[in-house]
Amino acid sequence: MLARHYIDGEWLAEGALGDSLDPASGAVLGQYHAGSAALAHQAAAAARRAFFGTSWAMAPRQRADALYQFADRLEAAIDELTDLIVAENGKLRAEARGEMIGSISEVRYYAGLARAILGRTLEATPGSFSIMHREAAGVAAIIVPWNAPVTLLVRSLGPALAAGCTCVIKPAHQTPLIHQKVMDCLVDCPALPKGVVNSVNEAGSEVGEALVASPDVDVISFTGSSATGRRIMAGAAPTLKRVGLELGGKAPAVVFDDADLDRAVKELTAAATMMAGQICVAATRFLVHDAVLPDFSERITAAFRAVRTGPGVKADSQMGSLIDKTNEQRLHRLIEQAGDEGELLLKGDNPFGRNGAGAFVSPSLFRIEDTASPLVQEELFGPLVSVERFADEAEAVAKANATPYGLAASVHTRDLERAMRLSRAIRAGTVWLNCHSRLFPEGETGGFGQSGLGRLHGVEGLNEFLETKHIYMEQGLPRGAA
């Protein structure tokens, strides 16, 4: 399989060839053409021509039709795309299937919203009329990460197209074959005009940097690390682009002494090991009340130890691979650091041997008291979780808010009033109560602090791609009118 660029209605096979690898085995799955700044500028120019040269931005029914057609084609290809996600991303098959089901649902959700973009009118003084018209912001560049390559594309592409924007997509170089198949589905939609969606592959950062700097791009929608988000903000500043950023997370799960520990352990084991911990909303800090700390620690350690780590294609695997060997090696170094700075409750390792081709690390847990440690302050992006104690509600809130991140959190307690107090006090864009990691198209997500700007999913997801235009008119009043 070969992944190409798609610009102005044409497939382009330009640029050096790179290999796409199966992270669970190291096998070569296919190849992709690497992009360039020149191709990025070509794609942005095509998107700009389509924005101003077609009626796309003024045709909500056409936009809805195109999105419904896209969802239908994704659904028809669900088995092939699920297999590709397992092979190229390393996920469990159930996780890959869930990603596809959620993505199809999201596209259909925004297809419906495309026909419901409403402004407002007012009469500020007699005979004067103001129309607040909501219209597309222009050309959107969508920069997609590798960890959920379909979901994290459509949650930006869906609202961008529903709003009337034209788009340039930059997929991750680790998952080009998945993206190629998604583009095959999109290109097959009769209601989508030429040039409305363009795509340029990446091998490093050249394409992304070109799109961020391009005067033809009006909006950047990026999902990824906070460090890269800062670079994007700086790169977009000279052209004053609108920037939407969904960035890193360090999600605390606060477990009180009255929590249902069986439920909490089950929820948090799943929330820490889904996608091998390679998701920004994963539960990465367990904050536990002193009264239940020994019991919880024993239970969660046993639950983590029981997780079967293996290839996503195996039916008995409960956690899949990391994205590559480089990240496996990085996690091994962090696990050693956790043993030096804290107390390892469970030390993860590659169950197939570190010298093997597959990129695996089983789950790890460590106790730590120093909230200033980089292990607590920084996103580790893997199945490595800290266990931290607290004595009372005030300390729980202080520790939950002790990092620069604010993407997600969860609170585990039977006390509804306490749950509501904590949900307000914790500075995070999403707070789950007695559960973790529930994401769906209708509910907005986004971050406080260094976890990002703006919101994705839901009605607010459209706002990232819409402008408000004030159209004002005065009409002559009859004689004698006040």
Side-chain angles (χ1 to χ4, degrees):
M1 188 172 179
L2 176 64
R4 298 167 291 167
H5 318 292
Y6 186 75
I7 299 176
D8 203 17
E10 301 292 335
W11 291 107
L12 299 179
E14 295 184 17
L17 287 173
D19 289 334
S20 172
L21 303 179
D22 178 347
S25 68
V28 175
L29 300 170
Q31 293 184 305
Y32 66 95
H33 283 282
S36 63
L39 285 169
H41 289 303
Q42 184 180 337
R48 198 155 195 86
R49 286 194 301 272
F51 185 78
F52 290 104
T54 71
S55 60
W56 177 255
M58 297 168 282
R61 293 184 178 184
Q62 180 183 3
R63 301 198 299 268
D65 286 348
L67 286 166
Y68 281 124
Q69 291 166 6
F70 182 33
D72 290 345
R73 282 152 180 77
L74 288 175
E75 189 167 50
I78 191 170
D79 290 335
E80 183 178 355
L81 274 162
T82 297
D83 290 343
L84 274 172
I85 293 170
V86 173
E88 195 172 41
N89 184 269
K91 281 189 178 75
L92 302 177
R93 184 169 183 83
E95 292 173 334
R97 186 83 175 184
E99 177 171 349
M100 287 306 307
I101 291 169
S103 298
I104 294 163
S105 174
E106 185 117 20
V107 174
R108 290 190 171 130
Y109 174 77
Y110 282 111
L113 286 187
R115 295 178 63 170
I117 298 173
L118 306 176
R120 69 185 196 279
T121 63
L122 61 92
E123 188 173 9
T125 59
S128 70
F129 292 93
S130 290
I131 301 169
M132 305 301 173
H133 182 54
R134 299 285 278 163
E135 59 184 54
V139 176
I142 299 170
I143 301 175
V144 187
W146 50 261
N147 58 329
V150 184
T151 294
L152 301 186
L153 167 62
V154 301
R155 73 173 185 176
S156 292
L157 182 64
L161 294 179
C165 290
T166 57
C167 302
V168 182
I169 305 165
K170 186 202 82 69
H173 74 270
Q174 295 94 332
T175 51
L177 306 184
I178 299 166
H179 184 71
Q180 173 70 43
K181 184 58 185 177
V182 172
M183 287 300 300
D184 286 341
C185 295
L186 191 61
V187 167
D188 191 46
C189 299
L192 190 72
K194 182 179 74 170
V196 166
V197 178
N198 306 270
S199 178
V200 181
N201 296 328
E202 179 74 279
S205 61
E206 181 180 346
V207 172
E209 290 172 359
L211 292 174
V212 168
S214 171
D216 285 332
V217 173
D218 303 289
V219 180
I220 299 288
S221 183
F222 169 76
T223 302
S225 72
S226 297
T228 304
R230 287 189 285 272
R231 290 175 57 198
I232 286 174
M233 286 189 74
T239 49
L240 292 176
K241 289 180 174 58
R242 178 184 297 187
V243 177
L245 306 172
E246 207 258 45
L247 305 177
K250 193 71 178 177
V254 184
V255 182
F256 282 92
D257 53 342
D258 66 339
D260 179 338
L261 290 189
D262 288 336
R263 179 178 179 181
V265 166
K266 182 179 179 181
E267 282 285 336
L268 296 179
T269 300
T273 61
M274 62 178 180
M275 294 164 54
Q278 300 171 122
I279 180 171
C280 48
V281 298
T284 58
R285 299 174 65 208
F286 298 159
L287 310 184
V288 188
H289 191 276
D290 284 332
V292 293
L293 180 59
D295 190 9
F296 177 85
S297 297
E298 183 178 345
R299 292 183 189 215
I300 199 72
T301 300
F304 268 42
R305 184 179 287 114
V307 172
R308 292 188 297 274
T309 303
V313 293
K314 292 188 64 177
D316 64 346
S317 293
Q318 295 174 311
M319 189 178 80
S321 72
L322 301 169
I323 191 62
D324 54 33
K325 293 294 286 187
T326 299
N327 273 285
E328 180 194 334
Q329 293 158 7
R330 179 183 62 82
L331 263 295
H332 287 310
R333 292 192 295 269
L334 288 170
I335 292 167
E336 294 299 325
Q337 182 182 345
D340 293 338
E341 295 190 25
E343 174 195 356
L344 276 176
L345 302 177
L346 181 64
K347 184 177 183 179
D349 206 342
N350 189 326
F352 307 103
R354 297 191 190 183
N355 294 325
F360 295 94
V361 173
S362 60
S364 298
L365 280 165
F366 65 100
R367 283 281 310 278
I368 193 166
E369 295 299 326
D370 181 11
T371 56
S373 167
L375 293 166
V376 175
Q377 291 294 315
E378 297 174 5
E379 186 177 36
L380 306 182
F381 223 61
L384 174 59
V385 181
S386 62
V387 178
E388 306 166 50
R389 55 156 298 280
F390 68 86
D392 54 30
E393 192 172 308
E395 187 175 17
V397 171
K399 287 194 170 184
N401 291 335
T403 77
Y405 295 105
L407 188 62
S410 62
V411 178
H412 303 262
T413 177
R414 290 184 171 95
D415 186 332
L416 178 60
E417 291 187 4
R418 173 190 282 158
M420 294 307 298
R421 284 196 303 273
L422 267 287
S423 70
R424 293 297 306 276
I426 293 174
R427 298 282 293 170
T430 300
V431 180
W432 294 288
L433 304 182
N434 293 310
C435 60
H436 200 104
S437 305
R438 304 298 197 270
L439 299 170
F440 42 87
E442 296 87 349
E444 285 82 359
T445 186
F448 289 21
Q450 293 189 26
S451 285
L453 304 170
R455 291 294 180 267
L456 291 165
H457 301 300
V459 176
E460 288 187 34
L462 277 171
N463 294 339
E464 303 299 307
F465 304 99
L466 288 169
E467 295 280 12
T468 299
K469 178 180 288 181
H470 181 186
I471 302 171
Y472 177 82
M473 179 183 70
E474 289 183 354
Q475 66 179 31
L477 292 174
R479 272 185 202 176

